[in-house]
Amino acid sequence: MASCNTIPAAELISCYSDAGSRAAIPLVGLGTAAFPFAPETTKPAILHAIELGYRHFDTASIYQSEQALGEAIEEALLTGRLHSRSELFITSKLWCTDAHHDRVLPAIRNTLRNLKMEYLDLYLIHWPMCLKPGAAAFPVKAKDILPLDLKSVWEAMEECQRLGLTRSIGVSNFNTTKLQELLQFAKIPPAVNQVEMNPAWQQEKLREFCKGKGIHITAYSPLGGQTNPLRPCPVMDSPVLRDIANSKGQTVAQVSLRWVHEQGVSVVVKSFNKARLKENVEIFGWELSEEDRRKISLIPQSKKVCIKGMLSISPQECELEPHELSEVDVFELE
């Protein structure tokens, strides 16, 4: 069985532990985003993941999984599966309806109440987008999208870190343009940018930019995300990845996760299946060959997660111009 010692970690430049050293983010974490939100299997899966050695857990207010995560951690501490909260790295995210300067602090405090914790390890702006306060959380209605005052929201995020409510702050779904905007005024730079990344959406331009700025990338949807059963998944159904997996005696999922790991990023992967939870941390102790990497570099690229897919399906609600989408999406246009 995997143990927490087998999952390596990466130091975060603008995140410090109680001892004053740079805090570290475990390179494999458990994602808790599921649709429909917050299934009953969430808490048991988290408890099993803790037993397998997972110490990095990713949640968000929109996922409705914060309470289940908090309950699972509380039980793990009571039963001896964990010895201390300090063993964990907990990430949560600010949803778009709270992406207003005066709503950030109340939002993180509500997250901490849900988790039954005093602090987060990482708090992220979920999307570079703002919605009307009180708007329906999901699906998003185009009429509820407002201009994001990134400077004032980031100032509130920095206050969260200064108050000790989170040990680090960052962003999610930010492209290089939005990161450049943020870095112009940030007093505390983002420690992390969490984005969709897998062999079918490799994010090379964004990765190079973040590396140069000292921003760690966490990859979500490393296996291609939830897919339409009538359409092949560009990752899990990839013949290239299948052939590599067969030659290595690994699964397609492990090959994809190993490729992501070898790019120098961390990964959060969602599975509530016991066998796959174990499989997903068994990506260390072997590596891809140069020929494997070359073949993967040639996989056709296709982005799955985008704002348009999050919008209400009502036609009158879905009319956003391309330039408006570019403000809130993570497409890197050459």
Side-chain angles (χ1 to χ4, degrees), residues 101-138:
H101 181 269
D102 61 348
R103 295 179 66 90
V104 176
L105 278 170
I108 192 173
R109 286 179 170 132
N110 187 60
T111 281
L112 292 171
R113 280 193 295 271
N114 288 338
L115 289 165
K116 302 179 183 180
M117 292 181 182
E118 295 181 355
Y119 67 91
L120 296 173
D121 295 280
L122 177 62
Y123 195 46
L124 306 176
I125 297 177
H126 206 149
W127 282 88
M129 182 174 74
C130 178
L131 293 174
K132 293 177 183 177
F138 200 85

PDB file of all heavy atoms in Angstrom, residues 101-138:
ATOM      1  N   HIS A 101     -14.456  42.528  -3.836  1.00  0.00           N
ATOM      2  CA  HIS A 101     -13.537  42.842  -2.750  1.00  0.00           C
ATOM      3  C   HIS A 101     -14.130  42.571  -1.371  1.00  0.00           C
ATOM      4  O   HIS A 101     -13.474  41.976  -0.507  1.00  0.00           O
ATOM      5  CB  HIS A 101     -13.091  44.304  -2.851  1.00  0.00           C
ATOM      6  CG  HIS A 101     -12.128  44.716  -1.782  1.00  0.00           C
ATOM      7  ND1 HIS A 101     -12.523  45.253  -0.574  1.00  0.00           N
ATOM      8  CD2 HIS A 101     -10.775  44.644  -1.724  1.00  0.00           C
ATOM      9  CE1 HIS A 101     -11.473  45.496   0.174  1.00  0.00           C
ATOM     10  NE2 HIS A 101     -10.393  45.149  -0.497  1.00  0.00           N
ATOM     11  N   ASP A 102     -15.368  42.987  -1.160  1.00  0.00           N
ATOM     12  CA  ASP A 102     -15.955  42.880   0.175  1.00  0.00           C
ATOM     13  C   ASP A 102     -16.558  41.506   0.465  1.00  0.00           C
ATOM     14  O   ASP A 102     -17.076  41.277   1.566  1.00  0.00           O
ATOM     15  CB  ASP A 102     -17.009  43.965   0.390  1.00  0.00           C
ATOM     16  CG  ASP A 102     -18.170  43.860  -0.600  1.00  0.00           C
ATOM     17  OD1 ASP A 102     -18.050  43.106  -1.594  1.00  0.00           O
ATOM     18  OD2 ASP A 102     -19.194  44.539  -0.390  1.00  0.00           O
ATOM     19  N   ARG A 103     -16.481  40.588  -0.477  1.00  0.00           N
ATOM     20  CA  ARG A 103     -17.048  39.257  -0.258  1.00  0.00           C
ATOM     21  C   ARG A 103     -15.982  38.171  -0.079  1.00  0.00           C
ATOM     22  O   ARG A 103     -16.305  37.026   0.237  1.00  0.00           O
ATOM     23  CB  ARG A 103     -17.969  38.887  -1.431  1.00  0.00           C
ATOM     24  CG  ARG A 103     -19.200  39.770  -1.537  1.00  0.00           C
ATOM     25  CD  ARG A 103     -20.065  39.395  -2.730  1.00  0.00           C
ATOM     26  NE  ARG A 103     -20.655  38.060  -2.589  1.00  0.00           N
ATOM     27  CZ  ARG A 103     -21.835  37.823  -2.023  1.00  0.00           C
ATOM     28  NH1 ARG A 103     -22.545  38.828  -1.518  1.00  0.00           N
ATOM     29  NH2 ARG A 103     -22.319  36.595  -1.946  1.00  0.00           N
ATOM     30  N   VAL A 104     -14.719  38.519  -0.284  1.00  0.00           N
ATOM     31  CA  VAL A 104     -13.654  37.514  -0.222  1.00  0.00           C
ATOM     32  C   VAL A 104     -13.447  36.998   1.198  1.00  0.00           C
ATOM     33  O   VAL A 104     -13.425  35.783   1.432  1.00  0.00           O
ATOM     34  CB  VAL A 104     -12.343  38.068  -0.805  1.00  0.00           C
ATOM     35  CG1 VAL A 104     -11.209  37.048  -0.650  1.00  0.00           C
ATOM     36  CG2 VAL A 104     -12.518  38.439  -2.273  1.00  0.00           C
ATOM     37  N   LEU A 105     -13.293  37.890   2.145  1.00  0.00           N
ATOM     38  CA  LEU A 105     -13.086  37.452   3.529  1.00  0.00           C
ATOM     39  C   LEU A 105     -14.270  36.657   4.067  1.00  0.00           C
ATOM     40  O   LEU A 105     -14.076  35.581   4.667  1.00  0.00           O
ATOM     41  CB  LEU A 105     -12.795  38.649   4.433  1.00  0.00           C
ATOM     42  CG  LEU A 105     -11.340  39.147   4.427  1.00  0.00           C
ATOM     43  CD1 LEU A 105     -11.232  40.470   5.157  1.00  0.00           C
ATOM     44  CD2 LEU A 105     -10.423  38.113   5.061  1.00  0.00           C
ATOM     45  N   PRO A 106     -15.520  37.107   3.880  1.00  0.00           N
ATOM     46  CA  PRO A 106     -16.640  36.267   4.317  1.00  0.00           C
ATOM     47  C   PRO A 106     -16.649  34.899   3.628  1.00  0.00           C
ATOM     48  O   PRO A 106     -17.008  33.894   4.251  1.00  0.00           O
ATOM     49  CB  PRO A 106     -17.875  37.094   3.925  1.00  0.00           C
ATOM     50  CG  PRO A 106     -17.406  38.507   3.911  1.00  0.00           C
ATOM     51  CD  PRO A 106     -15.989  38.443   3.417  1.00  0.00           C
ATOM     52  N   ALA A 107     -16.231  34.853   2.366  1.00  0.00           N
ATOM     53  CA  ALA A 107     -16.244  33.581   1.642  1.00  0.00           C
ATOM     54  C   ALA A 107     -15.234  32.604   2.219  1.00  0.00           C
ATOM     55  O   ALA A 107     -15.539  31.417   2.426  1.00  0.00           O
ATOM     56  CB  ALA A 107     -15.961  33.823   0.157  1.00  0.00           C
ATOM     57  N   ILE A 108     -14.011  33.054   2.493  1.00  0.00           N
ATOM     58  CA  ILE A 108     -13.012  32.129   3.028  1.00  0.00           C
ATOM     59  C   ILE A 108     -13.384  31.700   4.448  1.00  0.00           C
ATOM     60  O   ILE A 108     -13.159  30.550   4.841  1.00  0.00           O
ATOM     61  CB  ILE A 108     -11.582  32.716   2.978  1.00  0.00           C
ATOM     62  CG1 ILE A 108     -10.552  31.599   3.261  1.00  0.00           C
ATOM     63  CG2 ILE A 108     -11.409  33.881   3.927  1.00  0.00           C
ATOM     64  CD1 ILE A 108      -9.120  32.025   3.075  1.00  0.00           C
ATOM     65  N   ARG A 109     -13.992  32.603   5.199  1.00  0.00           N
ATOM     66  CA  ARG A 109     -14.411  32.224   6.556  1.00  0.00           C
ATOM     67  C   ARG A 109     -15.529  31.183   6.511  1.00  0.00           C
ATOM     68  O   ARG A 109     -15.573  30.274   7.345  1.00  0.00           O
ATOM     69  CB  ARG A 109     -14.834  33.471   7.332  1.00  0.00           C
ATOM     70  CG  ARG A 109     -13.632  34.317   7.753  1.00  0.00           C
ATOM     71  CD  ARG A 109     -14.018  35.570   8.503  1.00  0.00           C
ATOM     72  NE  ARG A 109     -12.843  36.221   9.077  1.00  0.00           N
ATOM     73  CZ  ARG A 109     -12.563  37.507   8.988  1.00  0.00           C
ATOM     74  NH1 ARG A 109     -13.410  38.315   8.339  1.00  0.00           N
ATOM     75  NH2 ARG A 109     -11.477  38.019   9.532  1.00  0.00           N
ATOM     76  N   ASN A 110     -16.402  31.293   5.541  1.00  0.00           N
ATOM     77  CA  ASN A 110     -17.443  30.272   5.380  1.00  0.00           C
ATOM     78  C   ASN A 110     -16.834  28.937   4.973  1.00  0.00           C
ATOM     79  O   ASN A 110     -17.236  27.870   5.472  1.00  0.00           O
ATOM     80  CB  ASN A 110     -18.458  30.722   4.326  1.00  0.00           C
ATOM     81  CG  ASN A 110     -19.643  29.790   4.250  1.00  0.00           C
ATOM     82  OD1 ASN A 110     -20.372  29.592   5.223  1.00  0.00           O
ATOM     83  ND2 ASN A 110     -19.846  29.175   3.087  1.00  0.00           N
ATOM     84  N   THR A 111     -15.841  28.974   4.091  1.00  0.00           N
ATOM     85  CA  THR A 111     -15.130  27.759   3.707  1.00  0.00           C
ATOM     86  C   THR A 111     -14.487  27.103   4.926  1.00  0.00           C
ATOM     87  O   THR A 111     -14.572  25.881   5.116  1.00  0.00           O
ATOM     88  CB  THR A 111     -14.063  28.088   2.645  1.00  0.00           C
ATOM     89  OG1 THR A 111     -14.705  28.223   1.368  1.00  0.00           O
ATOM     90  CG2 THR A 111     -12.997  27.008   2.542  1.00  0.00           C
ATOM     91  N   LEU A 112     -13.855  27.904   5.775  1.00  0.00           N
ATOM     92  CA  LEU A 112     -13.201  27.348   6.962  1.00  0.00           C
ATOM     93  C   LEU A 112     -14.215  26.759   7.937  1.00  0.00           C
ATOM     94  O   LEU A 112     -13.950  25.730   8.573  1.00  0.00           O
ATOM     95  CB  LEU A 112     -12.355  28.429   7.646  1.00  0.00           C
ATOM     96  CG  LEU A 112     -11.116  28.882   6.850  1.00  0.00           C
ATOM     97  CD1 LEU A 112     -10.468  30.093   7.510  1.00  0.00           C
ATOM     98  CD2 LEU A 112     -10.121  27.739   6.712  1.00  0.00           C
ATOM     99  N   ARG A 113     -15.386  27.376   8.046  1.00  0.00           N
ATOM    100  CA  ARG A 113     -16.440  26.789   8.885  1.00  0.00           C
ATOM    101  C   ARG A 113     -16.871  25.436   8.318  1.00  0.00           C
ATOM    102  O   ARG A 113     -17.056  24.470   9.064  1.00  0.00           O
ATOM    103  CB  ARG A 113     -17.639  27.740   8.969  1.00  0.00           C
ATOM    104  CG  ARG A 113     -17.470  28.882   9.949  1.00  0.00           C
ATOM    105  CD  ARG A 113     -18.786  29.594  10.213  1.00  0.00           C
ATOM    106  NE  ARG A 113     -19.288  30.253   9.012  1.00  0.00           N
ATOM    107  CZ  ARG A 113     -18.983  31.494   8.659  1.00  0.00           C
ATOM    108  NH1 ARG A 113     -18.168  32.219   9.406  1.00  0.00           N
ATOM    109  NH2 ARG A 113     -19.502  32.026   7.563  1.00  0.00           N
ATOM    110  N   ASN A 114     -17.040  25.375   7.007  1.00  0.00           N
ATOM    111  CA  ASN A 114     -17.432  24.110   6.391  1.00  0.00           C
ATOM    112  C   ASN A 114     -16.395  23.020   6.646  1.00  0.00           C
ATOM    113  O   ASN A 114     -16.740  21.860   6.887  1.00  0.00           O
ATOM    114  CB  ASN A 114     -17.600  24.290   4.876  1.00  0.00           C
ATOM    115  CG  ASN A 114     -18.829  25.083   4.506  1.00  0.00           C
ATOM    116  OD1 ASN A 114     -19.776  25.175   5.280  1.00  0.00           O
ATOM    117  ND2 ASN A 114     -18.825  25.663   3.318  1.00  0.00           N
ATOM    118  N   LEU A 115     -15.131  23.394   6.584  1.00  0.00           N
ATOM    119  CA  LEU A 115     -14.038  22.433   6.748  1.00  0.00           C
ATOM    120  C   LEU A 115     -13.707  22.163   8.216  1.00  0.00           C
ATOM    121  O   LEU A 115     -12.947  21.233   8.513  1.00  0.00           O
ATOM    122  CB  LEU A 115     -12.782  22.955   6.045  1.00  0.00           C
ATOM    123  CG  LEU A 115     -12.803  22.966   4.511  1.00  0.00           C
ATOM    124  CD1 LEU A 115     -11.676  23.829   3.970  1.00  0.00           C
ATOM    125  CD2 LEU A 115     -12.716  21.550   3.963  1.00  0.00           C
ATOM    126  N   LYS A 116     -14.233  22.986   9.116  1.00  0.00           N
ATOM    127  CA  LYS A 116     -13.914  22.902  10.548  1.00  0.00           C
ATOM    128  C   LYS A 116     -12.414  23.079  10.767  1.00  0.00           C
ATOM    129  O   LYS A 116     -11.776  22.336  11.526  1.00  0.00           O
ATOM    130  CB  LYS A 116     -14.387  21.568  11.143  1.00  0.00           C
ATOM    131  CG  LYS A 116     -15.882  21.332  10.975  1.00  0.00           C
ATOM    132  CD  LYS A 116     -16.297  19.985  11.548  1.00  0.00           C
ATOM    133  CE  LYS A 116     -17.780  19.711  11.322  1.00  0.00           C
ATOM    134  NZ  LYS A 116     -18.199  18.405  11.865  1.00  0.00           N
ATOM    135  N   MET A 117     -11.853  24.074  10.099  1.00  0.00           N
ATOM    136  CA  MET A 117     -10.417  24.341  10.157  1.00  0.00           C
ATOM    137  C   MET A 117     -10.161  25.797  10.469  1.00  0.00           C
ATOM    138  O   MET A 117     -11.019  26.657  10.286  1.00  0.00           O
ATOM    139  CB  MET A 117      -9.751  23.996   8.809  1.00  0.00           C
ATOM    140  CG  MET A 117      -9.740  22.521   8.494  1.00  0.00           C
ATOM    141  SD  MET A 117      -8.916  22.200   6.925  1.00  0.00           S
ATOM    142  CE  MET A 117      -9.132  20.405   6.863  1.00  0.00           C
ATOM    143  N   GLU A 118      -8.939  26.071  10.921  1.00  0.00           N
ATOM    144  CA  GLU A 118      -8.536  27.434  11.232  1.00  0.00           C
ATOM    145  C   GLU A 118      -7.838  28.100  10.055  1.00  0.00           C
ATOM    146  O   GLU A 118      -7.770  29.335  10.002  1.00  0.00           O
ATOM    147  CB  GLU A 118      -7.612  27.449  12.453  1.00  0.00           C
ATOM    148  CG  GLU A 118      -8.298  26.982  13.741  1.00  0.00           C
ATOM    149  CD  GLU A 118      -7.372  27.023  14.935  1.00  0.00           C
ATOM    150  OE1 GLU A 118      -6.160  27.319  14.738  1.00  0.00           O
ATOM    151  OE2 GLU A 118      -7.839  26.770  16.054  1.00  0.00           O
ATOM    152  N   TYR A 119      -7.316  27.308   9.135  1.00  0.00           N
ATOM    153  CA  TYR A 119      -6.603  27.890   8.004  1.00  0.00           C
ATOM    154  C   TYR A 119      -6.611  26.918   6.826  1.00  0.00           C
ATOM    155  O   TYR A 119      -6.790  25.707   6.986  1.00  0.00           O
ATOM    156  CB  TYR A 119      -5.151  28.225   8.383  1.00  0.00           C
ATOM    157  CG  TYR A 119      -4.301  26.997   8.654  1.00  0.00           C
ATOM    158  CD1 TYR A 119      -3.572  26.389   7.623  1.00  0.00           C
ATOM    159  CD2 TYR A 119      -4.228  26.424   9.917  1.00  0.00           C
ATOM    160  CE1 TYR A 119      -2.806  25.258   7.862  1.00  0.00           C
ATOM    161  CE2 TYR A 119      -3.472  25.306  10.169  1.00  0.00           C
ATOM    162  CZ  TYR A 119      -2.754  24.717   9.131  1.00  0.00           C
ATOM    163  OH  TYR A 119      -2.007  23.588   9.361  1.00  0.00           O
ATOM    164  N   LEU A 120      -6.434  27.479   5.628  1.00  0.00           N
ATOM    165  CA  LEU A 120      -6.183  26.703   4.417  1.00  0.00           C
ATOM    166  C   LEU A 120      -4.693  26.739   4.116  1.00  0.00           C
ATOM    167  O   LEU A 120      -3.964  27.624   4.569  1.00  0.00           O
ATOM    168  CB  LEU A 120      -6.931  27.309   3.224  1.00  0.00           C
ATOM    169  CG  LEU A 120      -8.451  27.321   3.250  1.00  0.00           C
ATOM    170  CD1 LEU A 120      -8.974  28.117   2.049  1.00  0.00           C
ATOM    171  CD2 LEU A 120      -9.007  25.905   3.232  1.00  0.00           C
ATOM    172  N   ASP A 121      -4.252  25.796   3.335  1.00  0.00           N
ATOM    173  CA  ASP A 121      -2.886  25.858   2.822  1.00  0.00           C
ATOM    174  C   ASP A 121      -2.828  26.676   1.535  1.00  0.00           C
ATOM    175  O   ASP A 121      -1.809  27.302   1.251  1.00  0.00           O
ATOM    176  CB  ASP A 121      -2.348  24.450   2.581  1.00  0.00           C
ATOM    177  CG  ASP A 121      -2.228  23.679   3.873  1.00  0.00           C
ATOM    178  OD1 ASP A 121      -1.243  23.884   4.591  1.00  0.00           O
ATOM    179  OD2 ASP A 121      -3.143  22.889   4.185  1.00  0.00           O
ATOM    180  N   LEU A 122      -3.919  26.670   0.784  1.00  0.00           N
ATOM    181  CA  LEU A 122      -3.951  27.385  -0.485  1.00  0.00           C
ATOM    182  C   LEU A 122      -5.380  27.810  -0.795  1.00  0.00           C
ATOM    183  O   LEU A 122      -6.306  26.992  -0.725  1.00  0.00           O
ATOM    184  CB  LEU A 122      -3.413  26.479  -1.603  1.00  0.00           C
ATOM    185  CG  LEU A 122      -3.418  27.015  -3.031  1.00  0.00           C
ATOM    186  CD1 LEU A 122      -2.526  28.253  -3.160  1.00  0.00           C
ATOM    187  CD2 LEU A 122      -2.948  25.930  -3.997  1.00  0.00           C
ATOM    188  N   TYR A 123      -5.558  29.085  -1.140  1.00  0.00           N
ATOM    189  CA  TYR A 123      -6.862  29.612  -1.526  1.00  0.00           C
ATOM    190  C   TYR A 123      -6.718  30.234  -2.909  1.00  0.00           C
ATOM    191  O   TYR A 123      -5.853  31.083  -3.139  1.00  0.00           O
ATOM    192  CB  TYR A 123      -7.337  30.654  -0.513  1.00  0.00           C
ATOM    193  CG  TYR A 123      -8.812  30.998  -0.600  1.00  0.00           C
ATOM    194  CD1 TYR A 123      -9.783  30.013  -0.704  1.00  0.00           C
ATOM    195  CD2 TYR A 123      -9.242  32.328  -0.541  1.00  0.00           C
ATOM    196  CE1 TYR A 123     -11.138  30.329  -0.753  1.00  0.00           C
ATOM    197  CE2 TYR A 123     -10.586  32.657  -0.577  1.00  0.00           C
ATOM    198  CZ  TYR A 123     -11.532  31.646  -0.690  1.00  0.00           C
ATOM    199  OH  TYR A 123     -12.876  31.951  -0.742  1.00  0.00           O
ATOM    200  N   LEU A 124      -7.575  29.805  -3.837  1.00  0.00           N
ATOM    201  CA  LEU A 124      -7.462  30.207  -5.230  1.00  0.00           C
ATOM    202  C   LEU A 124      -8.673  31.007  -5.691  1.00  0.00           C
ATOM    203  O   LEU A 124      -9.803  30.721  -5.284  1.00  0.00           O
ATOM    204  CB  LEU A 124      -7.353  28.969  -6.136  1.00  0.00           C
ATOM    205  CG  LEU A 124      -6.259  27.944  -5.826  1.00  0.00           C
ATOM    206  CD1 LEU A 124      -6.384  26.757  -6.780  1.00  0.00           C
ATOM    207  CD2 LEU A 124      -4.875  28.573  -5.932  1.00  0.00           C
ATOM    208  N   ILE A 125      -8.454  31.993  -6.562  1.00  0.00           N
ATOM    209  CA  ILE A 125      -9.544  32.572  -7.341  1.00  0.00           C
ATOM    210  C   ILE A 125      -9.910  31.531  -8.391  1.00  0.00           C
ATOM    211  O   ILE A 125      -9.083  31.148  -9.211  1.00  0.00           O
ATOM    212  CB  ILE A 125      -9.119  33.890  -8.015  1.00  0.00           C
ATOM    213  CG1 ILE A 125      -8.760  34.941  -6.970  1.00  0.00           C
ATOM    214  CG2 ILE A 125     -10.228  34.396  -8.932  1.00  0.00           C
ATOM    215  CD1 ILE A 125      -8.252  36.252  -7.577  1.00  0.00           C
ATOM    216  N   HIS A 126     -11.146  31.054  -8.366  1.00  0.00           N
ATOM    217  CA  HIS A 126     -11.518  29.883  -9.160  1.00  0.00           C
ATOM    218  C   HIS A 126     -11.473  30.157 -10.662  1.00  0.00           C
ATOM    219  O   HIS A 126     -11.028  29.315 -11.441  1.00  0.00           O
ATOM    220  CB  HIS A 126     -12.918  29.401  -8.758  1.00  0.00           C
ATOM    221  CG  HIS A 126     -13.148  27.958  -9.023  1.00  0.00           C
ATOM    222  ND1 HIS A 126     -13.985  27.177  -8.244  1.00  0.00           N
ATOM    223  CD2 HIS A 126     -12.671  27.114  -9.968  1.00  0.00           C
ATOM    224  CE1 HIS A 126     -14.001  25.934  -8.703  1.00  0.00           C
ATOM    225  NE2 HIS A 126     -13.215  25.885  -9.751  1.00  0.00           N
ATOM    226  N   TRP A 127     -11.972  31.307 -11.087  1.00  0.00           N
ATOM    227  CA  TRP A 127     -11.957  31.702 -12.506  1.00  0.00           C
ATOM    228  C   TRP A 127     -11.674  33.192 -12.594  1.00  0.00           C
ATOM    229  O   TRP A 127     -12.065  33.949 -11.691  1.00  0.00           O
ATOM    230  CB  TRP A 127     -13.316  31.430 -13.177  1.00  0.00           C
ATOM    231  CG  TRP A 127     -13.566  30.012 -13.546  1.00  0.00           C
ATOM    232  CD1 TRP A 127     -14.126  29.048 -12.755  1.00  0.00           C
ATOM    233  CD2 TRP A 127     -13.257  29.375 -14.795  1.00  0.00           C
ATOM    234  NE1 TRP A 127     -14.196  27.853 -13.434  1.00  0.00           N
ATOM    235  CE2 TRP A 127     -13.666  28.029 -14.690  1.00  0.00           C
ATOM    236  CE3 TRP A 127     -12.695  29.814 -15.985  1.00  0.00           C
ATOM    237  CZ2 TRP A 127     -13.520  27.115 -15.725  1.00  0.00           C
ATOM    238  CZ3 TRP A 127     -12.543  28.913 -17.032  1.00  0.00           C
ATOM    239  CH2 TRP A 127     -12.955  27.583 -16.896  1.00  0.00           C
ATOM    240  N   PRO A 128     -11.051  33.660 -13.671  1.00  0.00           N
ATOM    241  CA  PRO A 128     -10.881  35.107 -13.859  1.00  0.00           C
ATOM    242  C   PRO A 128     -12.180  35.736 -14.345  1.00  0.00           C
ATOM    243  O   PRO A 128     -12.274  36.305 -15.433  1.00  0.00           O
ATOM    244  CB  PRO A 128      -9.779  35.184 -14.928  1.00  0.00           C
ATOM    245  CG  PRO A 128      -9.950  33.937 -15.731  1.00  0.00           C
ATOM    246  CD  PRO A 128     -10.396  32.878 -14.748  1.00  0.00           C
ATOM    247  N   MET A 129     -13.195  35.611 -13.515  1.00  0.00           N
ATOM    248  CA  MET A 129     -14.538  36.015 -13.884  1.00  0.00           C
ATOM    249  C   MET A 129     -15.302  36.405 -12.633  1.00  0.00           C
ATOM    250  O   MET A 129     -15.064  35.851 -11.558  1.00  0.00           O
ATOM    251  CB  MET A 129     -15.260  34.860 -14.598  1.00  0.00           C
ATOM    252  CG  MET A 129     -16.664  35.176 -15.071  1.00  0.00           C
ATOM    253  SD  MET A 129     -17.369  33.815 -16.042  1.00  0.00           S
ATOM    254  CE  MET A 129     -17.718  32.610 -14.763  1.00  0.00           C
ATOM    255  N   CYS A 130     -16.215  37.342 -12.779  1.00  0.00           N
ATOM    256  CA  CYS A 130     -17.037  37.799 -11.664  1.00  0.00           C
ATOM    257  C   CYS A 130     -18.507  37.631 -12.035  1.00  0.00           C
ATOM    258  O   CYS A 130     -18.901  37.916 -13.168  1.00  0.00           O
ATOM    259  CB  CYS A 130     -16.716  39.268 -11.388  1.00  0.00           C
ATOM    260  SG  CYS A 130     -17.680  40.006 -10.068  1.00  0.00           S
ATOM    261  N   LEU A 131     -19.292  37.155 -11.097  1.00  0.00           N
ATOM    262  CA  LEU A 131     -20.734  37.042 -11.276  1.00  0.00           C
ATOM    263  C   LEU A 131     -21.442  37.931 -10.261  1.00  0.00           C
ATOM    264  O   LEU A 131     -20.898  38.231  -9.199  1.00  0.00           O
ATOM    265  CB  LEU A 131     -21.193  35.591 -11.074  1.00  0.00           C
ATOM    266  CG  LEU A 131     -20.734  34.551 -12.085  1.00  0.00           C
ATOM    267  CD1 LEU A 131     -21.174  33.157 -11.642  1.00  0.00           C
ATOM    268  CD2 LEU A 131     -21.267  34.859 -13.477  1.00  0.00           C
ATOM    269  N   LYS A 132     -22.654  38.306 -10.582  1.00  0.00           N
ATOM    270  CA  LYS A 132     -23.458  39.089  -9.644  1.00  0.00           C
ATOM    271  C   LYS A 132     -23.575  38.356  -8.316  1.00  0.00           C
ATOM    272  O   LYS A 132     -23.822  37.140  -8.294  1.00  0.00           O
ATOM    273  CB  LYS A 132     -24.862  39.316 -10.213  1.00  0.00           C
ATOM    274  CG  LYS A 132     -24.922  40.198 -11.443  1.00  0.00           C
ATOM    275  CD  LYS A 132     -26.359  40.297 -11.948  1.00  0.00           C
ATOM    276  CE  LYS A 132     -26.442  41.119 -13.221  1.00  0.00           C
ATOM    277  NZ  LYS A 132     -27.824  41.157 -13.767  1.00  0.00           N
ATOM    278  N   PRO A 133     -23.421  39.034  -7.201  1.00  0.00           N
ATOM    279  CA  PRO A 133     -23.643  38.392  -5.905  1.00  0.00           C
ATOM    280  C   PRO A 133     -25.052  37.819  -5.840  1.00  0.00           C
ATOM    281  O   PRO A 133     -26.017  38.469  -6.268  1.00  0.00           O
ATOM    282  CB  PRO A 133     -23.464  39.533  -4.905  1.00  0.00           C
ATOM    283  CG  PRO A 133     -22.628  40.540  -5.625  1.00  0.00           C
ATOM    284  CD  PRO A 133     -23.018  40.446  -7.062  1.00  0.00           C
ATOM    285  N   GLY A 134     -25.152  36.600  -5.358  1.00  0.00           N
ATOM    286  CA  GLY A 134     -26.461  35.975  -5.247  1.00  0.00           C
ATOM    287  C   GLY A 134     -26.949  35.327  -6.519  1.00  0.00           C
ATOM    288  O   GLY A 134     -28.023  34.720  -6.534  1.00  0.00           O
ATOM    289  N   ALA A 135     -26.184  35.440  -7.606  1.00  0.00           N
ATOM    290  CA  ALA A 135     -26.585  34.796  -8.860  1.00  0.00           C
ATOM    291  C   ALA A 135     -26.533  33.287  -8.695  1.00  0.00           C
ATOM    292  O   ALA A 135     -25.831  32.751  -7.830  1.00  0.00           O
ATOM    293  CB  ALA A 135     -25.663  35.229  -9.995  1.00  0.00           C
ATOM    294  N   ALA A 136     -27.307  32.587  -9.510  1.00  0.00           N
ATOM    295  CA  ALA A 136     -27.263  31.126  -9.479  1.00  0.00           C
ATOM    296  C   ALA A 136     -25.834  30.672  -9.720  1.00  0.00           C
ATOM    297  O   ALA A 136     -25.168  31.140 -10.657  1.00  0.00           O
ATOM    298  CB  ALA A 136     -28.200  30.547 -10.536  1.00  0.00           C
ATOM    299  N   ALA A 137     -25.358  29.780  -8.876  1.00  0.00           N
ATOM    300  CA  ALA A 137     -23.959  29.381  -8.942  1.00  0.00           C
ATOM    301  C   ALA A 137     -23.636  28.586 -10.202  1.00  0.00           C
ATOM    302  O   ALA A 137     -22.589  28.772 -10.816  1.00  0.00           O
ATOM    303  CB  ALA A 137     -23.592  28.572  -7.702  1.00  0.00           C
ATOM    304  N   PHE A 138     -24.546  27.705 -10.592  1.00  0.00           N
ATOM    305  CA  PHE A 138     -24.244  26.821 -11.717  1.00  0.00           C
ATOM    306  C   PHE A 138     -25.545  26.251 -12.265  1.00  0.00           C
ATOM    307  O   PHE A 138     -26.396  25.853 -11.485  1.00  0.00           O
ATOM    308  CB  PHE A 138     -23.325  25.679 -11.237  1.00  0.00           C
ATOM    309  CG  PHE A 138     -22.581  25.001 -12.343  1.00  0.00           C
ATOM    310  CD1 PHE A 138     -21.383  25.511 -12.799  1.00  0.00           C
ATOM    311  CD2 PHE A 138     -23.094  23.859 -12.937  1.00  0.00           C
ATOM    312  CE1 PHE A 138     -20.695  24.889 -13.823  1.00  0.00           C
ATOM    313  CE2 PHE A 138     -22.415  23.240 -13.962  1.00  0.00           C
ATOM    314  CZ  PHE A 138     -21.214  23.750 -14.404  1.00  0.00           C
TER     315      PHE A 138
END
